[in-house]
Amino acid sequence: MKVAIFSIHSFDRPFFEKIKTNSHELVYFKEQLSAETAYLAKDFDGIAIFTSDSANEEILNLLHSYGVKFIALRSVGYDHVDIDKATELKIKVANVPEYSPFAIAEHTVAMILALNRKLILADNRIKRHDFSLGGLTGFDLNGKTVGIIGTGKIGSVLAKILHGFGCKVIAYDKIEESSLKSKYALHYTNLDELCKQSDIISLNLPLNKDTKYLINEQQITIMKNGVMLINTARGGIVNTQSVINALKSGKISSFGMDVYENEKGVFFHDLSKSILEDDTLALLTTFSNVLITAHQSFLTNEALDGIVSTTIKNIDQWQKEGKSVNDIN
Ligand code: NAI
């Protein structure tokens, strides 16, 4: 199969090159998939895209006109693809449903620890030879209540790790996973109760029409004063402006964001020589109690291995059987 790989980066190309596949012709493009770049897919059977790419109705129509029949997503989430439109155009879409839930869960914990123990602040001070400790006080994680919203693959690993820290783990999910209750003393509750009881809240669910702005002003109002919020799921689950207001008032004491609702065209790019045009993001970078990583949670060797090998397996299956076990439509 001839496959155009969009948004290839220096961090994932070596993982594709490591897999010696003679069955497919893989062509790498640094370009993000957009209405302007879709023409690059002309005469390809399939494309492989990343979270930073868009496959909306307009782009899918273009891809269809160029003969593309398969879209392999190099991600778990598929909020960047119009699945209904792809189905209508008979374009198959498959994701990588699981690569390393550990990568994202561990990054979430790294954010909790770095924010709580003010590691970035401390490191900045030490580099200026300021060895004072004022303002660096954190809290014991042991005994704190952590609310996990979404206890799928990533949320389950997170529950395990936080249980190990001695946290009381509570959760909200539309489907309860009973084994978590016995293994980690996890207690399911509704969203409002989770917001009221949690010292730390972590978002680990997909972005869709039900979860868009799930964390909004109303939800934040009922949270504990001084709550820590971590979003490693998708930016659009959080109303960023409401979080900024809550950070200013102190309602939210700290915010770890690995994803941002307007991250497209910014995250994954070196914009250090240009002016950051997004005023909201620029403001967030000035808050010392906000830790931002640019959609980096997945970035481990194990996860990249998993993403690339499952992407190739999906393409293999499409070539052999016309369908893959990871088909979404
Ligand atoms: P998963 O599908 O295993 O788990 C998602 C959980 O969310 C499920 O238990 C599901 O029942 C629950 N859920 C879905 N809609 C809900 C709703 N409306 N209300 C309550 N619960 C709901 O997915 P997984 O692998 O745990 O990933 C979760 C999300 O993390 C992905 O959808 C993706 O957006 C994000 N992610 C972020 C990465 C990053 O690098 N920052 C990397 C990988 C995933």
Side-chain angles (χ1 to χ4, degrees):
M1 192 181 281
K2 196 174 167 195
V3 183
I5 307 200
F6 280 88
S7 291
I8 195 75
H9 292 276
S10 57
F11 60 76
D12 56 356
R13 186 166 179 155
F15 288 83
F16 274 104
E17 289 174 344
K18 213 166 63 180
I19 292 191
K20 296 266 175 270
T21 169
N22 295 323
S23 323
H24 312 293
E25 187 188 336
L26 306 180
V27 181
Y28 303 100
F29 294 106
K30 283 186 182 154
E31 286 82 351
Q32 247 173 255
L33 176 63
S34 66
E36 288 71 41
T37 61
Y39 74 91
L40 293 168
K42 204 163 188 254
D43 299 329
F44 282 83
D45 308 296
I47 61 169
I49 65 171
F50 197 45
T51 48
S52 51
D53 296 305
S54 261
N56 58 22
E57 182 172 352
E58 181 192 8
I59 294 167
L60 287 168
N61 277 327
L62 287 169
L63 293 171
H64 181 251
S65 72
Y66 298 139
V68 171
K69 292 173 202 68
F70 302 99
I71 302 180
L73 308 180
R74 308 196 311 270
S75 59
V76 176
Y78 44 86
D79 46 280
H80 53 310
V81 181
D82 184 337
I83 299 292
D84 291 341
K85 185 68 193 173
T87 309
E88 185 192 313
L89 295 170
K90 298 196 167 46
I91 298 177
K92 284 235 170 273
V93 183
N95 69 341
V96 179
E98 179 170 356
Y99 41 91
S100 168
F102 307 102
I104 298 94
E106 289 172 13
H107 192 83
T108 304
V109 176
M111 288 193 128
I112 293 172
L113 291 170
L115 281 168
N116 173 29
R117 304 307 296 267
K118 308 193 173 48
L119 298 184
I120 313 290
L121 229 58
D123 187 54
N124 287 341
R125 271 190 205 180
I126 302 281
K127 297 228 162 88
R128 296 194 317 268
H129 296 178
D130 172 356
F131 300 97
S132 67
L133 297 184
L136 299 183
T137 311
F139 54 83
D140 286 2
L141 276 180
N142 181 51
K144 294 296 178 299
T145 300
V146 183
I148 301 177
I149 305 183
T151 51
K153 291 175 282 295
I154 296 166
S156 298
V157 174
L158 185 61
K160 177 184 171 184
I161 299 173
L162 293 170
H163 177 65
F165 271 99
C167 297
K168 180 182 171 201
V169 186
I170 61 172
Y172 165 66
D173 196 304
K174 59 181 185 177
I175 303 164
E176 298 190 2
E177 173 53 57
S178 57
S179 68
L180 299 177
K181 299 184 200 173
S182 49
K183 282 199 273 190
Y184 313 124
L186 181 146
H187 166 70
Y188 278 102
T189 184
N190 59 43
L191 182 61
D192 284 2
E193 271 309 311
L194 181 143
C195 289
K196 281 181 199 160
Q197 291 178 27
S198 301
D199 299 297
I200 300 168
I201 295 176
S202 174
L203 304 176
N204 299 101
L205 73 175
L207 172 64
N208 54 41
K209 60 177 176 14
D210 299 328
T211 63
K212 172 83 183 170
Y213 286 171
L214 187 77
I215 301 302
N216 51 33
E217 193 180 332
Q218 192 190 334
Q219 225 51 61
I220 292 170
T221 305
I222 59 173
M223 289 179 188
K224 271 190 179 178
N225 287 332
V227 65
M228 176 191 285
L229 179 66
I230 310 285
N231 186 9
T232 56
R234 283 292 180 271
I237 299 171
V238 163
N239 183 323
T240 313
Q241 191 52 53
S242 303
V243 171
I244 289 176
N245 296 343
L247 283 162
K248 283 183 177 171
S249 73
K251 178 79 186 177
I252 294 179
S253 65
S254 51
F255 179 40
M257 53 178 267
D258 183 53
V259 284
Y260 169 54
E261 58 177 313
N262 298 316
E263 70 180 51
K264 270 200 179 24
V266 179
F267 284 10
F268 305 116
H269 300 280
D270 178 0
L271 303 181
S272 57
K273 292 185 182 62
S274 21
I275 287 172
L276 188 55
E277 291 189 10
D278 184 327
D279 293 346
T280 305
L281 183 59
L283 178 64
L284 281 163
T285 63
T286 68
F287 288 28
S288 62
N289 53 349
V290 173
L291 179 55
I292 306 175
T293 50
H295 207 137
Q296 186 190 326
S297 295
F298 72 97
L299 203 62
T300 68
N301 290 324
E302 292 79 1
L304 287 165
D305 252 334
I307 291 171
V308 170
S309 60
T310 305
T311 300
I312 298 294
K313 269 185 211 147
N314 289 341
I315 297 168
D316 281 343
Q317 289 187 348
W318 280 334
Q319 173 154 287
K320 286 184 197 134
E321 301 158 37
K323 59 180 182 186
S324 129
V325 285
N326 298 319
D327 280 349
I328 293 164
N329 60 352

